[in-house]
Structure formats: C-alpha cells, structure tokens
Amino acid sequence: MAGKEKGRGEEKKKFSIWDLPDVPMGQLPPHLELQRSRVICNKDAPIHTESVQYSGAYASMGVDNSLRLDHFCNNFRVEVVQLTEEDMEFDMIGIDAAIANAFRRILIAELPTMAIEKVLIANNTSVVQDEVLAHRLGLIPISVDPRLFEYISENDQPNEKNTIVFKLHVHCKRSSPRFTVKSDELNWLPNGSELVKKSRNATSDSSSKPETYTSFTCSQDTLPEFAKNPIAPKHPDIIIAKLGPGQEIELEAHAVKGMGKTHAKWSPVATAWYRMLPKVVLLEEVEDDLAEELKSKCPVNVFDIEELGKGKKRATVARPRACTLCRECIRGEEWEKRVALRRVKDHFIFAIESTGALPPEVLFTEAVKILEDKCERVITELS
C-alpha cells in the first residue's frame, strides 16, 4: 500500500503545466497573443481595446512584456504611402497609441505659424462688421516659414523680425457691379506699417519722420530669405468680403508668430488624424452566391471575387486598408462566423493635411523635434 502511494507521488512530481502543448514557454498562446496585439471588432462593440503596459503581465509564461529600447529600435518604422504638396499619409509601425496621439496633439496645437493678429481699420463701409472682417483675415493661411521669425511679447516693439504687415485697400465704384474682395488683394509691405499714429504733441517737428505702428530697421525684401520668395497668402482666391457700389475697405493687417493652443488660426494643419490598420480575416471559405453577397455588402469594396474555374468562385480580401469598420460584412445571420474584423494595435495610419505654411513632411519632422525636447526636459528634471 505504501509503495503504491509512493509511486503516485512520483507521478505527481513529474507532471508540470509547462509540458502542456497549449502553453509554450517563452511565447503567448494564440488567443492571448490575439488579445494583446489586436482589437476585435464584433457587430455590437469592439473588445480588447486596452493596451497591456505592465511588464510582468505574462511573466508566468516566460514572456517579458517590458518596454525595451533595443526592441523599439528594431521594430519601429515609418512608411510613407502618399505625399503631395499639402497632404501626407504614412504608416507608423511599432508604437503605442499614446505616442501617436502625442504627435497628433503637437501637430494641431504646438507647431508655430504666422497669422494675422492685429487689424488696423482706417475705413470700412462694407456690410461686414470690423470684428468679423478681422476674424476672417486671421484665418487666411500665410505662405512663409515661421522658423524665420521670432515671437513677440506685449513689451516688444513690432519689427522686421517678429511682424509681417499687409495692406488692403479696395473700392467699388458707384457705377460698377458688386466687387468680390479676395485674399490676393492683400499686399505685403516689406518696409512695415504705413499708417501714421496720431501725435499728441501738436508742436512736434514737422521735418521728423512720422511715427507708424511698426519699427522696421530694414526692408524685409532685402533679406535673402524673402528676396526670391515674397510673402503672400497661400491661396489667392479666399473670399474676404463683397462690396456694393460706393463701398470701400482700407486697413492694415499685422501677422505675428503663435501656436494653435492659443488660437486655431495658428494651427499649421487643417486636420491631423490617425487610425489603426484594419485587418479583415475570412474564417472560412466564402464561395459562389455567398461570395457575391459578401462583395455587395461592403460599401468600400474591400472584398473581391476570385474565379476558380468550372463555375466556382470565392471571396478574397483585396483592399483591407480601405475598411472603415462599418461592420456591414458581419451583420446578418452567420456572417460573424465567416468574417472577422480586427485592428492592429501597434500599426497606425497617420494623415496630415497642411494649411500651406510648411509642407506636411516638414511639419512631422518639427513635431518629432518638439516631442524630443519635451522628453529631454523631463529627463533633466528627474536627473
């Protein structure tokens, strides 16, 4: 009896959970790996949306989940998909959603541009109120590199290094039809303001130079940066106002450097957004009439039909990147068992649409520099 119990004890000692085939040492089981790396999009709601940050989350299975610099350097990459003068689409692979969102927020709110901040109205007889006119002028993108200018504070005097001056003077004659004022009517004044301040001292010397609203020491068009590239609105056809017969607008607009977190007019992007890479998986072969039905269910043509010969055909995933997650393909009886919609957690499709001050690729490079400066400040404070 004692010998039998001893034999059973030896059998229990030999048994180990690591010997089970579905728990391999050093790697996650397929169902856990799916939860860790994918968002599962069911027809009612997505699941497994959270990212696992804890380094010891899978320690019992021999998997190190900690963030390692060498692992990040080996896996992170940026792949440009489309690049034009104003738009850019690229893939950021191997990062967390928090970093992708940091780039998005920096692009919208922390990259500086030049925008009209002060409007000096000498005459405005149009139907557009002065405040509305000044607001419309502030939203016109200016084609100039903001890195060539300095910020201006309340105590600083406007000069050629921190201010750009535009003049707008348009008049609709009484015998003429209605006149549309567009952004190409804004003329750059490289020598600064031409509006003279009213002098409080009536006995001032008439031979002295009249005081204006800026203090330029030199003309901006003499600077090498602007000699061949005169400053002007990015788009010449933006409508500012419409004048009726006899109406007139005369003003000066002063543009200064600022950031989008102060006012949206300084935001260098019309939009900056990202989404996770879609992953469309066919769980079983979808053939013949079901294949045609699946293709017709998708509004963005993700699926295609492959001819197999002898009248046979099956559905294939041809354009998974175009998937908008409308989930039409998994609605209906039994379709959730045939098609699975997923999102890759560390693969982001990023899109930047520039307003025109800087090219989109330069905007992203500047955003990387700003994030790098922030990280260096944190390290400096902690050290």
Side-chain angles (χ1 to χ4, degrees), residues 86 113 141-142 234-235 267-271 353-358 363:
E86 296 181 353
T113 58
I142 300 173
K234 175 65 178 177
H235 305 285
S267 181
V269 294
T271 181
E353 182 181 337
S354 172
T355 59
L358 290 173
L363 290 177

Side-chain angles (χ1 to χ4, degrees), residues 67-77 94-96 99:
L67 180 62
R68 302 188 306 274
L69 181 60
D70 58 340
H71 183 268
F72 175 80
C73 293
N74 292 332
N75 290 276
F76 175 71
R77 64 185 188 274
I95 64 168
D96 189 72
I99 300 179

Side-chain angles (χ1 to χ4, degrees), residues 86-301:
E86 296 181 353
D87 301 320
M88 180 181 182
E89 181 180 322
F90 58 95
D91 289 4
M92 297 180 68
I93 306 168
I95 64 168
D96 189 72
I99 300 179
N101 192 51
F103 284 125
R104 183 189 67 86
R105 291 177 64 92
I106 291 172
L107 285 165
I108 292 174
E110 297 187 45
L111 279 179
T113 58
M114 302 295 290
I116 293 173
E117 169 69 359
K118 183 185 293 184
V119 179
L120 307 174
I121 299 177
N123 187 21
N124 178 22
T125 58
S126 71
V127 296
V128 183
Q129 298 94 333
D130 293 354
E131 295 83 0
V132 177
L133 183 60
H135 183 266
R136 292 181 66 83
L137 290 169
L139 295 175
I140 296 176
I142 300 173
S143 180
V144 63
D145 192 340
R147 296 172 293 183
L148 303 175
F149 290 86
E150 301 172 354
Y151 288 99
I152 185 172
S153 65
E154 296 179 358
N155 301 323
D156 291 337
Q157 189 73 12
N159 56 54
E160 70 278 2
K161 296 181 180 179
N162 57 30
T163 304
I164 302 172
V165 182
F166 294 98
K167 182 180 180 179
L168 176 64
H169 191 187
V170 287
H171 178 258
C172 183
K173 296 181 180 180
R174 292 190 178 276
S175 59
S176 301
R178 292 175 63 87
F179 176 68
T180 301
V181 183
K182 296 185 179 180
S183 54
D184 59 354
E185 298 287 345
L186 283 169
N187 297 314
W188 173 42
L189 300 180
N191 294 311
S193 175
E194 294 179 351
L195 290 179
V196 179
K197 286 185 177 180
K198 291 183 179 179
S199 177
R200 295 181 181 179
N201 186 7
T203 62
S204 60
D205 186 5
S206 59
S207 63
S208 63
K209 185 179 179 180
E211 184 183 4
T212 63
Y213 288 90
T214 59
S215 300
F216 281 28
T217 58
C218 67
S219 178
Q220 287 178 329
D221 57 3
T222 61
L223 301 175
E225 297 87 357
F226 311 124
K228 296 181 179 179
N229 298 308
I231 302 173
K234 175 65 178 177
H235 305 285
D237 56 349
I238 299 175
I239 297 177
I240 299 174
K242 291 188 177 182
L243 300 182
Q247 294 179 348
E248 182 181 8
I249 296 177
E250 183 181 2
L251 57 82
E252 262 189 12
H254 294 195
V256 297
K257 189 174 181 178
M259 289 189 290
K261 62 183 178 182
T262 303
H263 193 283
K265 65 185 177 183
W266 279 298
S267 181
V269 294
T271 181
W273 56 272
Y274 63 87
R275 63 189 177 104
M276 287 187 240
L277 179 72
K279 195 78 172 178
V280 183
V281 180
L282 296 178
L283 303 177
E284 61 182 45
E285 293 287 343
V286 181
E287 299 177 340
D288 301 331
D289 292 342
L290 287 177
E292 294 287 352
E293 181 183 352
L294 179 61
K295 186 178 186 298
S296 63
K297 284 166 74 74
C298 181
V300 291
N301 295 322

Side-chain angles (χ1 to χ4, degrees), residues 48-66:
H48 309 311
T49 57
E50 71 283 348
S51 57
V52 182
Q53 300 288 352
Y54 175 49
S55 60
Y58 309 112
S60 61
M61 300 178 188
V63 176
D64 183 10
N65 195 52
S66 60

